[in-house]
Amino acid sequence: MQQQAETMGYCSSYTSSSRPVVPSSSLRRLGLVLAAALLVWCQRVATAQQPVPVPVRVGVILNLTPSSPVGQRRKLGIEMAVEDYYAARPGSRTRVALRFRDSAGDVVAATSAAVDLIKNEQVQAIIGPQTSAEADFVAYLCNRTRVPMLSSSATSPALSPAQTPFFVRTAPNDSFQAAPVAAALATFGWRAAVVVYEDSPYGSGILPALAGALQGVGVRIMDRAAVPGDGRIDALLYRFKAMPTRVFVVHMNARLAARFFRRARLAGMMTEDYAWVATDGVGGVVDALSPDDISAMEGVLSLRPFVQMTDRVGNFSARFRERLRREYPSADVYYPHDPTVVMLWTYDTAWAIAAAAEAAGVSSPAFQTRQQSTAATDLDRLGVSATGATLLKAVRETTFRGLAGNFTLLDGQLQPPAYEFVNVVGKSSRAVGFWTPDDGITQTLGADGAKGMRRTIFWPGDSTSAPRGWVVSPNGHKLRVAVPVKNGFKEFVDVGGESATAEHPNITGYCIEVFDAVMSKMPYPVSYEYEPFPDSSESYENIVSLVPEQSADIVVGDVTITASRMSKVDFSMPFTDSGWSMVVAVRTETSTSMWIFLRPLTTSLWLASFAFFCFTGFVVWAIEHRINPEFRGTRWQQFGLIFYFAFSTLVFSHKEKLESNLSRFVVIIWVFVVLILTSSYTASLTSMLTVQKLQPAATDVTELQRTGAYIGYQEGSFIKQRLQKQGFDETKMRSYSTAEEYADALSSGRVAAVFDEIPYLKLFLSQYCDGYTMYGPVYKADGFGFVFPTGSPLTPDVSRAVLTLAEGEEMAQIEKKWFGEPGACPRQSGGGAAAALGASNLSFRSFGGLFLITGVVSSLMLLVYLATFIYRERGEVRPEPEEGGLGSSSVRRLLAWMRHFDQRDLKCPTFKTGNDDCVREGNHRRWVESVRNGRGGNGSVQAAIEEGAIAVGMTPLRFSTSTASETINADSSPASELGTSFGQGILEAPHSVSVEMPGSTAS
C-alpha cells in the first residue's frame, strides 16, 4: 500500500511539474512520448485503486413492440435517468444494471417477464409494467417474492400499496383527479353528467372516487358506460345522444380517447350543446398527439398535472429529442412533442431507484429459496429477495427535486400535484386554470389567484359561452305533459266535455294556468303539449307512473308530493298550501249551562286570580294599618276589610282613602291588571254566549275511530292510505268525487266527516259556507307539485320559477280567478270557523306576565315598607319581661315587634296628639260630635263630657294618658276606641286622666 501511494504521488508530482527543456527536437519528441506513457500508466493505477461499484439489478417491463412508441420513449428516459444520476455522482458505491423485458402489452406476457426477471436475473427491483391491468398480478408476485416494484403509469386506485406493500406508485393516484373534475362541473353550474370510461382496471378504478366527488357538489351521474371496441362505440354514442344530458366526463387512455372523439365528431356530438371534460389520460399527452387526433378533440376541457418548465426540464427535453431521433429515427412521426408528464415521472422513478440503492448500500442480489415439499410451477420455485425490504424502505424514504416536481412518497404513492385545466384548441392545448386542494380552481397558481377559470374557453362548435349542459327535448319534439281527467273539483284541472278523446282537448284549470305561467318565466323556451290521462281518477299513482315509464315527460295537475312517489320521480317546489284535515257539519246547540259564567277562565286562572286578590289586599292593609284609621278595627273587621278592598277593585268601587304612596302604587298596578282581566273575561264570555249555539257534529278523530263512524275521502287520493295507517277500517270509508257529494253525505249523516287536502277543503267551504266547517288537526303533507323524471335538469329551473311566481301578484290573481276572493266566507277566513266554534277559555299562561308584574311590585313595596318600619322603630320596641312559658328571647322580640306593628303610628299626621290640629280637626272631633249626639254608647260618659263642655268651650283641655293607657286596643275601631276605651278610662280610672284648668298644675 505504501509503494502504491508513493507511485501515485510520483505520478501526480510528475504530471503537475514542468517538463525539462531538451536542446534537440528528437529528444523533445522522445520526452513527450515518455510523459504521455507515464501519464496513462498513472491513470490506470489510480483507477485500479478505486472500489468497484456493487451492481444493483433492476428489471424493466415495457411494451417494446414497434407498434408502441410509448414503450420506446420510456426505455430511453429510464436509461438517461440512470446515466445522469451516475454522471452527477461518479463515486457511487452502487451501480444500477438495467434488465429490459418486452410485455407486448399483454397481461400474461408481463407476468412471464416478471417471473423471468426474478428467477433468472434475480433482480432486486422492477420498474413497470405500463398499464394497470399488467401491473395488477405482477404487484402480487413482487409482494410474494419481496421485490420492490415501482410504476409511474399504473395509476388505477384498485392497485393499493396498502394491499401489496412492495408496490410503489411513483405517480398520483387516479382518484386524486375526482375532486378537480367535480370542481369544474360545479364552476359551470352543471348538475348532471354522463361518465364514459375505458373498459379496463384503469378506467373503472376511478368510478368510486368520482361518484363521491360529484355527489359532494350536487352533480348527478345520469349514466356510466364503459367504451367497447370501435364497432360498438357508435351505438353507445347514439344512446347518449338520445339523453337530455349534454355533459360528459371522459376517463381513458389517449389512443382510445382519440378514436372515441373521432366517432363522436361523426355522430354530431362535438357541437355547441355539448361539454366534454377529460382526465389526465387525455390532457397529459394531448400535446404529443397527431394533428388529426387533436382536431377531433377540439373544444374539450381536460385535466393534467402541472409541471413547471425549468431550465433542467428544458435541457432534458432537448437531449431526449436528440437522442430519440438518433436511436429511433421514425419516432417523430408518432409523437412530435416530447417529453410528456408521464415521461418525466418515468425519469424520476429511475432516478429514485438509483438514489435508494445508494442510500441503502444494497449488496449483491441474493434470494432465499422457500422450503416446499412440491413445486408444481415456476411460481412455486421463486425465492424471496434478501435485499428487498431494505431497498423498499430506502425507496419510500427517498426525496428529491425531480423533473416533474418534488418526489415525495406517502403511503407508497406520489403525493398529488397541482393540476391545470387545458383547453384543446387548434393544433395544441392552452392552460385556462389551475386547481389545488387548498385553493380550488384559480386563474393563476397560488393562494392569491382569482377564483375561476383564467381565460375564455372555446367549447365544441367554437362557442365561447359555456353550454347549458342539457336540452329540453333530445329529439326536438314537444314535451308530452300528462294531465288527469277528474270527475269533480274541476277548478284544479278540467278537461272540458268530450275533449278528453279529441285530437286537441280543451284543458283548463288552476294547475294548468299556474304551469303556463311558470313556463313563461323559464330562462329558455320550452315547447310542450297537454295529453289527458283518463285512468287517473282511480288512483293518481297511475298517472305518476307514466313518467318513469317514459310515456310522458311531465305530469301537471293536482298531484300531491309524497315520499313514495319521490322515490320514482322528481317534484318541483309545491305551488299550493300543504296539509290535509277533515270537514264536518255543524249543528245548532240551544241548551245553555247555568254555570257557563265559569267557563271563560280555566281553573288555574280562577285560583290564581283569587290568590292575587287576597295577596294584594293583604299588602295594602299591611302598609296602611299603622297610619290609616280606615284600616283598623277588630280582627274580623280588618280581615273582612282585606277581602273587601281587593275584590271591590273588580268594579272599581273601593272608597277607602290611602295614606301611603307605596300602597297607592300597588293599587295602581293592580287596577291595571284587573282592568285587563275583566275585559278579557267579558270578551270571552260574550264569544261563548254568541257562538255557543253552533257546534261541530264531530270534533275528535279518535272518537270517530272508537265509535266506528263512517268517513269520506276524495276518489283517487292518497288520503285513503293515510287513513288506513291511522287505524280506520276500510269498510267504514266511502269515496266521493265532487263538492256536491261532500255536502250531501255530511248533511244526510251518511258520513260523520270527510277527509281531504286543504286546497280542496277550502274550495268546498267557499261554495258551502253555511252548515260546514273545517275542524280537527291538520296533518302534514307537501302540497301539489309538477312531476318530472328523476334527475331532470328542468326540475330546479321550474322550482325557481314557481318561487318567483309565488312572490309576485300573479299567483294571487290566478287563485282569485279560480277560487274567488280569499276569505269570502266569514267562517272560513283564516280558519275562523274552527276557531269560533271551539272558542277556548283563558288560561293562567295567557296572563302570566301580568301576574308576574303585580306580584313583583306588591312584594317589593311590602319589603320596602317593612324595611323602613324596622329601621325607624328599632329603638321603640322593648320586649316584655320574661314570664313563664313565653319561650326564647327571639320569640319574645318577635311578639314585641308584632304588638308594636299593631299600634297606631303616632308620628303620622293622622294620629298626632297634643296641641296638634289633627286632634281637633281629625277623627277626635268626629268622636266628640258623636258623643254629644248620644252615639257614645255610655250615658254617664256622655254626661261627664257634657259637664265639661263649658270648660272645653272656654279653655282647651289637654288629655294626658298614663303609661298603661298609651297602648290602644288594636281590636277597637277608630271612633269606638276613643269613645269607649278612653271614656271608660275617665269613669273607671280617673287617675289616669287629668283635666288641666287654666292656672292649675298637672300632678
Side-chain angles (χ1 to χ4, degrees):
M1 294 294 295
Q2 182 178 1
Q3 183 180 0
Q4 294 176 354
E6 291 176 353
T7 304
M8 293 181 64
Y10 171 76
C11 293
S12 176
S13 61
Y14 179 81
T15 56
S16 59
S17 61
S18 58
R19 297 181 179 87
V21 179
V22 292
S24 64
S25 59
S26 60
L27 291 177
R28 186 182 296 108
R29 284 195 299 269
L30 179 61
L32 291 175
V33 172
L34 292 175
L38 181 61
L39 180 61
V40 171
W41 176 77
C42 290
Q43 289 177 349
R44 288 180 179 179
V45 170
T47 302
Q49 303 308 316
Q50 294 179 357
V52 178
V54 176
V56 178
R57 300 177 185 176
V58 176
V60 183
I61 303 176
L62 297 171
N63 183 1
L64 299 176
T65 58
S67 61
S68 176
V70 176
Q72 299 172 357
R73 283 167 168 74
R74 292 187 182 177
K75 177 178 180 294
L76 182 58
I78 292 172
E79 292 174 342
M80 291 181 65
V82 173
E83 294 171 2
D84 292 347
Y85 179 83
Y86 292 113
R89 295 165 179 80
S92 298
R93 296 169 300 168
T94 59
R95 181 76 59 173
V96 170
L98 300 174
R99 303 289 189 269
F100 290 93
R101 293 293 185 273
D102 184 11
S103 68
D106 182 69
V107 175
V108 176
T111 304
S112 177
V115 172
D116 176 45
L117 289 171
I118 295 173
K119 180 182 177 182
N120 299 325
E121 296 289 346
Q122 292 192 345
V123 294
Q124 293 162 279
I126 291 179
I127 298 177
Q130 289 180 216
T131 66
S132 298
E134 298 174 49
D136 193 0
F137 184 77
V138 176
Y140 284 96
L141 183 64
C142 290
N143 196 65
R144 182 178 179 182
T145 57
R146 304 177 69 85
V147 174
M149 169 186 165
L150 286 71
S151 177
S152 60
S153 55
T155 56
S156 172
L159 289 171
S160 173
Q163 296 178 354
T164 53
F166 279 80
F167 168 68
V168 178
R169 181 184 286 116
T170 56
N173 190 332
D174 279 341
S175 61
F176 295 152
Q177 303 180 65
V181 169
L185 268 60
T187 298
F188 296 106
W190 296 324
R191 291 291 176 256
V194 175
V195 177
V196 188
Y197 59 95
E198 177 184 325
D199 191 7
S200 68
Y202 162 76
S204 60
I206 196 176
L207 293 182
L210 186 60
L214 293 179
Q215 184 180 5
V217 296
V219 178
R220 187 186 185 93
I221 297 180
M222 302 305 299
D223 194 4
R224 60 181 70 181
V227 175
D230 285 341
R232 297 173 55 192
I233 289 181
D234 292 342
L236 184 65
L237 290 173
Y238 282 108
R239 189 183 91 189
F240 293 157
K241 196 174 182 180
M243 300 172 62
T245 304
R246 290 294 184 262
V247 179
F248 299 89
V249 178
V250 179
H251 178 64
M252 56 187 70
N253 66 71
R255 296 182 62 184
L256 179 60
R259 294 200 307 270
F260 177 81
F261 281 109
R262 282 198 297 266
R263 305 307 301 174
R265 181 174 58 180
L266 293 176
M269 296 179 67
M270 298 301 291
T271 58
E272 58 186 32
D273 284 339
Y274 292 85
W276 300 89
V277 180
T279 60
D280 68 349
V282 174
V285 297
V286 65
D287 291 332
L289 298 179
S290 65
D292 236 7
D293 293 338
I294 295 177
S295 177
M297 297 180 185
E298 189 163 4
V300 173
L301 181 67
S302 186
L303 193 71
R304 72 181 176 195
F306 172 72
V307 175
Q308 189 175 3
M309 293 303 297
T310 62
D311 294 339
R312 184 184 174 194
V313 174
N315 179 41
F316 169 74
S317 299
R319 292 189 297 113
F320 178 82
R321 285 193 293 269
E322 181 182 357
R323 186 165 174 175
L324 184 65
R325 293 190 189 96
R326 185 171 63 252
E327 297 188 11
Y328 302 99
S330 62
D332 284 347
V333 177
Y334 298 99
Y335 281 180
H337 301 283
D338 271 317
T340 62
V341 177
V342 180
M343 175 60 66
L344 300 181
W345 285 337
T346 304
Y347 180 94
D348 291 343
T349 300
W351 186 287
I353 195 68
E358 181 67 19
V362 178
S363 60
S364 299
F367 280 77
Q368 301 172 357
T369 305
R370 291 189 179 90
Q371 299 296 327
Q372 295 181 350
S373 57
T374 58
T377 64
D378 287 342
L379 295 178
D380 297 327
R381 300 185 184 93
L382 294 178
V384 177
S385 174
T387 61
T390 304
L391 186 58
L392 175 67
K393 182 176 182 298
V395 168
R396 285 174 172 261
E397 295 176 353
T398 298
T399 58
F400 59 91
R401 179 68 181 178
L403 294 181
N406 290 328
F407 185 92
T408 303
L409 300 176
L410 181 63
D411 297 330
Q413 56 189 1
L414 193 68
Q415 288 307 286
Y419 285 94
E420 65 176 337
F421 289 96
V422 295
N423 186 204
V424 181
V425 180
K427 297 182 179 180
S428 62
S429 63
R430 61 192 184 98
V432 293
F434 298 87
W435 180 91
T436 59
D438 296 331
D439 304 322
I441 296 179
T442 55
Q443 295 182 5
T444 58
L445 192 61
D448 298 334
K451 298 296 182 182
M453 299 293 180
R454 181 176 56 185
R455 301 173 60 181
T456 301
I457 300 176
F458 291 91
W459 301 97
D462 293 331
S463 173
T464 56
S465 58
R468 189 169 63 235
W470 59 277
V471 291
V472 176
S473 177
N475 52 17
H477 298 161
K478 292 183 178 180
L479 296 178
R480 297 165 298 170
V481 180
V483 296
V485 178
K486 300 176 62 67
N487 296 325
F489 294 100
K490 295 189 176 182
E491 290 82 357
F492 291 95
V493 178
D494 182 20
V495 180
E498 302 296 330
S499 299
T501 57
E503 183 177 356
H504 300 288
N506 181 26
I507 301 176
T508 58
Y510 168 74
C511 298
I512 302 301
E513 191 162 343
V514 169
F515 183 75
D516 291 338
V518 167
M519 289 296 105
S520 67
K521 296 184 179 299
M522 295 289 284
Y524 42 83
V526 179
S527 179
Y528 58 93
E529 59 182 359
Y530 294 110
E531 296 181 2
F533 184 70
D535 298 332
S536 56
S537 60
E538 299 178 2
S539 174
Y540 270 28
E541 302 298 332
N542 297 334
I543 191 171
V544 171
S545 63
L546 294 177
V547 173
E549 294 172 358
Q550 298 184 356
S551 299
D553 298 313
I554 308 174
V555 173
V556 172
D558 49 344
V559 182
T560 305
I561 303 171
T562 64
S564 60
R565 294 171 182 173
M566 289 194 70
S567 63
K568 299 180 292 184
V569 295
D570 282 349
F571 282 90
S572 69
M573 290 288 293
F575 57 90
T576 62
D577 295 334
S578 60
W580 58 282
S581 186
M582 68 177 181
V583 64
V584 297
V586 294
R587 50 185 170 82
T588 303
E589 180 66 52
T590 57
S591 61
T592 304
S593 172
M594 63 183 293
W595 303 104
I596 191 174
F597 69 91
L598 295 176
R599 291 181 56 188
L601 306 184
T602 61
T603 304
S604 61
L605 185 54
W606 278 115
L607 296 176
S609 301
F610 179 78
F612 275 89
F613 271 109
C614 298
F615 177 67
T616 304
F618 170 76
V619 172
V620 174
W621 171 84
I623 297 174
E624 295 287 333
H625 177 64
R626 301 188 75 246
I627 62 174
N628 195 335
E630 296 187 5
F631 285 83
R632 301 189 65 83
T634 65
R635 289 184 175 89
W636 285 109
Q637 287 175 332
Q638 295 179 71
F639 186 73
L641 183 64
I642 291 175
F643 285 92
Y644 167 75
F645 178 82
F647 282 93
S648 64
T649 57
L650 275 172
V651 291
F652 307 101
S653 63
H654 47 287
K655 303 300 182 181
E656 289 75 13
K657 181 181 178 181
L658 303 179
E659 299 292 343
S660 174
N661 288 333
L662 297 178
S663 58
R664 290 169 183 165
F665 186 62
V666 170
V667 172
I668 289 173
I669 300 298
W670 175 245
V671 168
F672 175 73
V673 173
V674 170
L675 175 64
I676 296 178
L677 189 63
T678 54
S679 301
S680 303
Y681 173 85
T682 303
S684 180
L685 181 60
T686 303
S687 175
M688 289 183 176
L689 291 174
T690 55
V691 186
Q692 181 75 14
K693 296 181 180 180
L694 295 178
Q695 287 293 336
T699 60
D700 191 2
V701 176
T702 306
E703 186 68 16
L704 293 174
Q705 294 175 336
R706 189 184 64 81
T707 58
Y710 283 91
I711 59 174
Y713 64 93
Q714 186 180 170
E715 179 184 21
S717 173
F718 73 98
I719 300 294
K720 179 180 179 181
Q721 289 76 21
R722 296 290 179 89
L723 292 173
Q724 288 177 338
K725 289 182 179 180
Q726 289 194 358
F728 282 98
D729 187 0
E730 186 176 1
T731 60
K732 298 293 184 179
M733 293 188 291
R734 296 176 177 176
S735 64
Y736 301 100
S737 300
T738 65
E740 293 79 6
E741 293 179 355
Y742 281 11
D744 182 59
L746 290 170
S747 60
S748 63
R750 291 199 300 270
V751 295
V754 173
F755 290 86
D756 210 339
E757 297 177 75
I758 300 298
Y760 298 114
L761 297 183
K762 283 188 174 182
L763 178 60
F764 169 75
L765 292 172
S766 67
Q767 299 174 358
Y768 295 88
C769 295
D770 297 327
Y772 308 96
T773 183
M774 185 164 51
Y775 202 83
V778 176
Y779 299 98
K780 181 63 178 176
D782 289 333
F784 300 158
F786 304 125
V787 184
F788 295 91
T790 301
S792 172
L794 272 173
T795 307
D797 291 339
V798 170
S799 296
R800 282 190 287 269
V802 168
L803 293 177
T804 303
L805 186 68
E807 292 173 355
E809 294 293 332
E810 190 173 356
M811 179 69 83
Q813 296 298 326
I814 296 174
E815 292 180 354
K816 180 180 177 180
K817 173 183 176 181
W818 291 100
F819 306 131
E821 287 286 349
C825 182
R827 251 182 277 146
Q828 178 58 21
S829 178
L837 289 171
S840 60
N841 44 12
L842 303 173
S843 65
F844 174 76
R845 184 177 182 85
S846 304
F847 299 91
L850 288 175
F851 286 126
L852 178 63
I853 293 173
T854 185
V856 170
V857 170
S858 300
S859 301
L860 184 60
M861 295 302 102
L862 180 60
L863 291 175
V864 171
Y865 171 75
L866 292 177
T868 305
F869 167 71
I870 294 172
Y871 177 77
R872 190 179 60 187
E873 304 295 333
R874 65 186 183 279
E876 302 294 332
V877 177
R878 296 292 183 271
E880 295 288 344
E882 184 176 356
E883 299 178 3
L886 287 180
S888 64
S889 60
S890 299
V891 174
R892 287 186 287 105
R893 186 169 184 82
L894 178 62
L895 293 175
W897 274 106
M898 294 177 64
R899 284 193 299 269
H900 188 70
F901 175 78
D902 196 38
Q903 297 174 7
R904 293 183 179 90
D905 187 0
L906 298 180
K907 300 176 183 178
C908 173
T910 307
F911 294 130
K912 279 186 178 180
T913 60
N915 295 326
D916 217 328
D917 291 340
C918 69
V919 176
R920 296 191 299 270
E921 299 176 2
N923 292 328
H924 174 65
R925 177 178 295 180
R926 292 198 297 272
W927 169 77
V928 172
E929 292 175 356
S930 65
V931 172
R932 286 177 178 175
N933 294 331
R935 294 192 297 272
N938 193 315
S940 60
V941 174
Q942 182 178 1
I945 297 302
E946 289 177 353
E947 289 179 0
I950 298 174
V952 172
M954 294 187 302
T955 305
L957 297 176
R958 184 166 59 115
F959 301 98
S960 62
T961 60
S962 62
T963 305
S965 64
E966 284 182 3
T967 303
I968 301 173
N969 189 356
D971 293 337
S972 62
S973 64
S976 63
E977 193 172 352
L978 289 174
T980 302
S981 301
F982 192 70
Q984 290 176 356
I986 296 174
L987 297 176
E988 299 174 3
H991 65 277
S992 64
V993 179
S994 63
V995 180
E996 296 183 3
M997 297 299 179
S1000 63
T1001 304
S1003 58

